[in-house]
Amino acid sequence: MSATARKSAPLPEDIRARKGGVPLVSLTAYTTPMAQAMDAHCDVVLVGDSVGMVLHGLPSTLGVTLEMMILHGRAVKRGLSKAMMVVDMPFGSYEESPQQAFRNAARVMAETGAAAVKLEGGVTMQETIRFLVQRGIPVMGHVGLTPQSINTLGGYKVQGRGAAADALIADARAVSEAGAFAVVLEKVPAALADRVTADLPIPTIGIGASAGCDGQILVVDDMLGAFTAFKPKFVKRYAALGHQAEAAIEEYAAEVRAREFPGEEHLFAEEAPEKKT
Ligand code: KIV
């Protein structure tokens, strides 16, 4: 069913059932107005830890806290009625143990109203994903380029090339076997993304992966051209909001300095105008 025709948000099981069907549409969101703009068009809205870079000016996602994710999750939830909301678990909130992951994921679910959490990692996170799913927390996996691990991966490199393909396939299988309802594949060769998509029983959601994935996700500020510090190759800009915002602000500044703003129509008379009956 298209997001527009839907009356209520899908559940993780509905997303899982979309394997091999019409591609799933997903974007990140961090605020109520942006969530409202995408609610009728997206199946899944991810409150991504990319919020740290695109809204808070952090150099990576590593400085994002659980409190930040909860604050933005609550804001996004207020803007959604048709799309399913997933909230990212930030760096340091789940890697230590399945128990730590459960404690923090349960807080995210209870305080934001999310339908599921997303966490990064394959084989090493299998036990944690299973622990969460068995205790009522739906999990979306994330393998390939996992930005929370840039310091051990050596930067934002394409993952799974050449001999590394087998490890990536093992990661994706581990996530699926642990009970995740979908998995994000980030920055992997297209042919490998197609292999993983054919291999897994759960939907793959690509970002820098392949049009053959079961769905696609982008960071909303990237695709709207609102985040302009850099543009990954896999991003298509559908608008240039950053440039439009700067041009509008430049015009406002010029009008203020020239005393052209505010105009007559923006001012209030001393006497209140008579009410029309
Ligand atoms: O944080 C994020 O925005 C993400 C997407 C890029 C998948 O994890």
Side-chain angles (χ1 to χ4, degrees):
M1 187 189 286
S2 81
T4 329
R6 215 168 28 227
K7 287 207 172 65
S8 58
L11 298 170
E13 280 314 302
D14 302 320
I15 298 300
R16 182 199 294 268
R18 295 273 299 273
K19 175 75 191 174
V22 176
L24 290 158
V25 179
S26 187
L27 283 173
T28 65
Y30 321 106
T31 63
T32 308
M34 205 53 89
Q36 284 167 336
M38 62 183 70
D39 189 36
H41 308 287
C42 288
D43 300 295
V44 178
V45 171
L46 171 71
V47 186
D49 61 352
S50 47
V51 67
M53 295 175 77
V54 298
L55 286 199
H56 293 271
L58 293 173
S60 74
T61 57
L62 298 180
V64 175
T65 63
L66 200 61
E67 281 65 33
M68 286 163 77
M69 297 311 302
I70 290 172
L71 187 72
H72 287 283
R74 290 167 68 114
V76 169
K77 184 67 181 166
R78 287 181 209 116
L80 299 180
S81 61
K82 292 177 169 181
M84 187 180 93
M85 183 175 87
V86 179
V87 176
D88 249 343
M89 296 299 291
F91 179 63
S93 71
Y94 62 95
E95 302 90 331
E96 200 177 314
S97 66
Q99 288 77 7
Q100 181 214 24
F102 180 80
R103 207 166 38 249
N104 288 326
R107 222 189 120 193
V108 166
M109 302 282 288
E111 295 183 28
T112 67
V117 299
K118 176 168 84 56
L119 57 84
E120 298 183 5
V123 172
T124 52
M125 283 298 132
Q126 185 174 36
E127 189 193 341
T128 295
I129 296 172
R130 186 171 289 125
F131 193 87
L132 296 186
V133 173
Q134 285 176 344
R135 286 160 182 77
I137 299 186
V139 176
M140 175 181 275
H142 183 158
V143 303
L145 174 64
T146 45
Q148 292 174 10
S149 304
I150 42 160
N151 290 315
T152 43
L153 293 177
Y156 296 93
K157 297 175 186 159
V158 176
Q159 301 294 308
R161 278 193 169 134
D166 287 345
L168 194 137
I169 292 169
D171 278 336
R173 281 187 185 157
V175 165
S176 171
E177 283 162 13
F181 67 90
V183 61
V184 170
L185 292 184
E186 180 164 352
K187 211 167 177 182
V188 300
L192 179 59
D194 289 342
R195 262 177 81 189
V196 172
T197 300
D199 184 58
L200 292 192
I202 59 170
T204 56
I205 302 183
I207 173 164
S210 162
C213 287
D214 298 298
Q216 302 294 328
I217 185 164
L218 283 176
V219 169
V220 71
D221 291 67
D222 281 341
M223 60 85 75
L224 292 178
F227 180 74
T228 52
F230 60 88
K231 186 186 92 62
K233 175 181 160 74
F234 56 74
V235 168
K236 176 174 175 183
R237 284 190 177 148
Y238 289 81
L241 294 198
H243 294 304
Q244 278 179 279
E246 198 180 335
I249 291 163
E250 195 180 353
E251 191 180 339
Y252 164 74
E255 289 193 3
V256 168
R257 291 191 179 108
R259 298 196 188 283
E260 286 169 14
F261 177 84
E264 278 304 315
E265 67 277 29
H266 307 116
L267 304 180
F268 301 96
E270 192 131 358
E271 301 291 324
E274 274 181 25
K275 279 203 178 121
K276 286 185 189 134
T277 51

